[in-house]
Amino acid sequence: MKKLLTKKILIPIFLSVLFITGSAFKNDFFEIAKQIEIFTTLFKEVNMNYVDETNPADLMDTAIKSMLQDLDPYTNFYNEQDVEASRINNTGDYTGIGASVLTLKDKLVIIEPYKGFPADKAGLKAGDEIIKVDNTVVADFSDDAGNLLQGTAGTTVDVTYVRQGKTETATIKREAVEIHAVPHFSMIDDKTGYVVLRKFNEKASSETITAIRALKSQGAKQLVLDLRGNLGGLLNEAVNVTNIFVPQNQLVVTTKSKVDKYNKTYYTQKEPIDTEIPVVVLIDGRSASASEIVAGALQDLDRAVVVGARSFGKGLVQRPKPLVYGTQLKITISRYYTPSGRCIQSLDYWNRDELGKATRVTKDNYTAFKTKRGRTVYDGGGIQPDVELGITKLSPITSAIVNENLIFDFATEYYYSHQVTDLKTFELTDADFDAFKNFLKSNNFTFETKTEKAFDDALSVAKEEALNSVIDAQYTTLLKALNTYKTEAIDANKTQLMGLLAEEIVKRYFYREGMYSYYIEHNTEIKKGTEILKNPSTYLGYLQ
């Protein structure tokens, strides 16, 4: 009787605790259970009774992706293949052909064969289009065909590919591949070291430390740390990289969430490598997440001069959550804040416009913060460089050309029509730029400006209101002006386009290693960073 009484007392207490715990999650425990039940019954009825055959897996995949699409682009469902790809990205190790590959609907395009690895040994080149892997036709493969190239070290894979209109075959022996977080480091001059940090995987800080120590042994008294194009990665590695330059027990980043356990402060844990060496950090519009934590922390602590273009503006933190059957949910759990207290998230996914698009935080809504020495910095739009260079920010027309892979495709055409044997004497000419412009025309490159789209929308409204006859002449004049602008815009962006073309072409002949060597001699951002470092008063002036 006593045990029964105890159980009767404990059950209400347990339920009360459960209710309180549920309350911590927005008091919606019942609502979640209700919606799951509705969805389960709906899913069953559709699959059992729909007039045609259904594929439950495809329906579920669509349902999950549609649900997550309303949140933010970083909250994603990972199937088993995606989980493996994420592991490779975080560790930098995998077994495969040793090449960067773009998966398209009907082919796999070799973007970059890594020097000395299987694809390179087998003779594959950037631009080769793989149409068949062993006996599998890529166009007929419903999943990510790139996974077909991976396998156990020592095994072989036969590929059929198209190069310059000709179909060829190759047998590739798979190997263990290590993708370095730091693919390059070298001396710019007798005092300036240069370190490229490409991603924040598990080896980011250790490889950066190795690079810096090697450069210091070669006489480096100052450093250029290149974070351009670095899309981020592991938050703890961002803290560790920052720790290289700042003392132990220094606040680097704070995360804030609706869930208490995700509210954390991250301090440097180790003794630094060098707290005095002058540092310039290079960033651009593709420097995101962990890159922004490092750049933002070093800027807030007045520890480095940041050079380039405003960074991407990703102030959100994700964490993987294991699900059943080897799947995973990568979910946004918090926002992060730099030491000064700013969150640099540039897009608001929770207050969308009338078209359902995320709204961008504007300069009018930026909040001012102070660095350690009292300099003013702002939140809301990525990391604003201390020295902003116009050439670093891709213009709208350059972005459109890059996004359509026309820089890449022209480089492929150039490679098969030009002999280049000496990196030091390589230089693109005006004739090459004219050839590129003709290449754009022959590929029917079109570019719609935001202004042009706005005019089209306005004309559609005018037609609805029967006003188009009144504005037709003015509209035609405006279109002519816009087309003139677009023609002139390519010439106006010649320097930027020529730089991108040269980098991609150099990579074809001399691999990525040659591209970085070319960078040191010709890249505007590196030259500016070196110039700042060479003048101590100029360097310190940016930090005052």
Side-chain angles (χ1 to χ4, degrees):
M1 182 70 176
K2 187 176 181 181
K3 288 184 179 179
L4 182 62
L5 182 62
T6 303
K7 286 182 180 179
K8 286 182 178 180
I9 294 172
L10 287 176
I11 288 172
I13 292 174
F14 173 75
L15 291 175
S16 298
V17 172
L18 184 62
F19 177 77
I20 292 169
T21 304
S23 298
F25 293 92
K26 296 173 62 178
N27 295 318
D28 55 8
F29 181 82
F30 172 75
E31 188 63 25
I32 291 172
K34 173 184 171 184
Q35 296 304 324
I36 288 174
E37 186 176 0
I38 291 172
F39 178 79
T40 302
T41 53
L42 178 145
F43 187 70
K44 182 179 70 174
E45 293 298 333
V46 167
N47 282 284
M48 289 179 64
N49 299 306
Y50 188 69
V51 63
D52 293 323
E53 286 296 321
T54 58
N55 185 316
D58 288 345
L59 283 177
M60 182 60 75
D61 192 60
T62 300
I64 291 172
K65 288 178 180 177
S66 297
M67 174 179 66
L68 299 181
Q69 195 172 25
D70 282 343
L71 301 177
D72 63 63
Y74 314 113
T75 297
N76 294 306
F77 170 71
Y78 283 8
N79 59 31
E80 290 176 276
Q81 291 76 26
D82 295 330
V83 171
E84 174 61 13
S86 178
R87 185 199 66 78
I88 291 169
N89 188 56
N90 286 337
T91 63
D93 299 328
Y94 74 102
T95 302
I97 67 169
S100 172
V101 178
L102 173 65
T103 302
L104 299 178
K105 188 176 182 180
D106 58 345
K107 58 192 173 186
L108 299 169
V109 181
I110 300 292
I111 298 299
E112 178 188 357
Y114 304 137
K115 185 177 180 180
F117 282 102
D120 183 38
K121 292 176 183 177
L124 267 67
K125 304 290 184 184
D128 288 348
E129 300 174 351
I130 298 174
I131 56 174
K132 189 176 180 182
V133 180
D134 286 328
N135 294 317
T136 302
V137 177
V138 174
D140 297 336
F141 194 71
S142 58
D143 294 325
D144 185 349
N147 295 323
L148 297 171
L149 298 174
Q150 295 180 25
T152 306
T155 60
T156 60
V157 58
D158 296 323
V159 297
T160 303
Y161 62 95
V162 177
R163 175 186 293 173
Q164 298 292 284
K166 296 180 180 179
T167 302
E168 303 186 31
T169 61
T171 298
I172 308 172
K173 187 176 182 180
R174 298 181 179 98
E175 293 179 13
V177 178
E178 180 181 5
I179 302 174
H180 290 288
V182 176
H184 178 87
F185 63 90
S186 61
M187 295 293 289
I188 296 173
D189 54 38
D190 60 347
K191 291 185 178 179
T192 312
Y194 174 59
V195 180
V196 180
L197 179 51
R198 189 167 61 177
K199 60 171 60 183
F200 285 86
N201 61 21
E202 293 173 355
K203 303 170 185 176
S205 60
S206 62
E207 289 188 9
T208 304
I209 289 170
T210 299
I212 291 172
R213 282 178 171 158
L215 291 171
K216 290 182 73 173
S217 71
Q218 296 173 42
K221 306 296 182 185
Q222 52 205 24
L223 289 172
V224 175
L225 177 63
D226 196 342
L227 298 180
R228 289 174 298 172
N230 187 323
L231 299 176
L234 303 176
L235 183 149
N236 65 303
E237 281 298 292
V239 176
N240 291 338
V241 169
T242 305
N243 196 170
I244 293 170
F245 306 106
V246 301
Q248 191 176 17
N249 298 320
Q250 170 63 56
L251 175 66
V252 174
V253 63
T254 302
T255 60
K256 297 180 182 179
S257 170
K258 72 173 185 180
V259 182
D260 287 343
K261 68 178 180 179
Y262 298 142
N263 294 329
K264 294 186 177 181
T265 51
Y266 293 84
Y267 291 83
T268 52
Q269 300 292 316
K270 305 171 184 177
E271 288 297 326
I273 301 302
D274 195 328
T275 61
E276 300 296 329
I277 189 169
V279 181
V280 162
V281 176
L282 305 183
I283 61 171
D284 63 11
R286 294 181 71 245
S287 303
S289 188
S291 295
E292 294 174 296
I293 290 175
V294 172
L298 294 178
Q299 186 179 57
D300 282 2
L301 299 171
D302 300 302
R303 182 61 189 87
V305 175
V306 181
V307 175
R310 185 181 285 278
S311 63
F312 183 80
K314 180 178 180 287
L316 305 174
V317 179
Q318 286 72 46
R319 173 169 290 189
K321 291 288 185 180
L323 304 176
V324 294
Y325 299 110
T327 62
Q328 199 175 86
L329 172 67
K330 188 181 78 170
I331 184 171
T332 298
I333 58 167
S334 58
R335 292 178 177 85
Y336 73 75
Y337 299 79
T338 65
S340 67
R342 54 184 171 147
C343 180
I344 50 80
Q345 177 65 25
S346 62
L347 289 175
D348 186 349
Y349 298 103
W350 300 272
N351 295 289
R352 298 174 182 256
D353 61 19
E354 60 276 7
L355 298 175
K357 294 182 179 180
T359 55
R360 183 170 292 277
V361 181
T362 63
K363 289 183 178 180
D364 295 337
N365 295 322
Y366 290 171
T367 303
F369 294 83
K370 294 294 183 181
T371 69
K372 192 173 182 179
R373 293 180 181 172
R375 294 186 298 141
T376 301
V377 289
Y378 297 92
D379 66 357
I383 301 299
Q384 177 70 35
D386 302 306
V387 182
E388 192 161 15
L389 302 177
I391 197 170
T392 308
K393 182 180 179 181
L394 295 186
S395 67
I397 197 161
T398 300
S399 294
I401 291 170
V402 171
N403 291 339
E404 291 191 26
N405 295 318
L406 292 169
I407 298 280
F408 179 86
D409 292 340
F410 180 80
T412 301
E413 188 174 280
Y414 185 98
Y415 177 78
Y416 290 107
S417 59
H418 293 75
Q419 289 289 329
V420 177
T421 57
D422 189 353
L423 178 60
K424 292 182 179 179
T425 60
F426 170 75
E427 185 178 5
L428 289 179
T429 65
D430 289 341
D432 292 323
F433 189 65
D434 289 338
F436 177 64
K437 290 194 290 186
N438 290 329
F439 178 81
L440 294 179
K441 289 179 182 177
S442 65
N443 282 271
N444 300 314
F445 170 67
T446 56
F447 168 60
E448 183 181 51
T449 65
K450 290 182 180 179
T451 304
E452 192 174 3
K453 188 176 186 308
F455 285 159
D456 287 341
D457 293 341
L459 183 63
S460 297
V461 174
K463 286 179 179 178
E464 291 176 7
E465 297 179 347
L467 295 174
N468 54 304
S469 59
V470 180
I471 65 172
D472 267 347
Q474 294 92 330
Y475 181 74
T476 302
T477 302
L478 286 169
L479 278 185
K480 285 181 179 178
L482 278 170
N483 286 328
T484 300
Y485 154 75
K486 287 193 282 186
T487 301
E488 294 173 348
I490 293 176
D491 287 324
N493 287 276
K494 179 180 178 180
T495 302
Q496 188 174 68
L497 288 166
M498 288 284 271
L500 293 171
L501 284 167
E503 291 165 14
E504 186 61 42
I505 290 169
V506 164
K507 203 161 55 173
R508 302 305 174 94
Y509 296 96
F510 306 103
Y511 300 90
R512 183 168 290 271
E513 292 81 357
M515 186 193 73
Y516 289 124
S517 297
Y518 183 85
Y519 260 177
I520 289 173
E521 294 293 327
H522 300 88
N523 185 258
T524 302
E525 293 91 332
I526 293 174
K527 286 183 175 180
K528 184 63 178 179
T530 306
E531 176 189 317
I532 291 169
L533 289 168
K534 281 183 176 179
N535 191 326
S537 61
T538 301
Y539 174 80
L540 292 173
Y542 286 115
L543 301 178
Q544 300 298 330

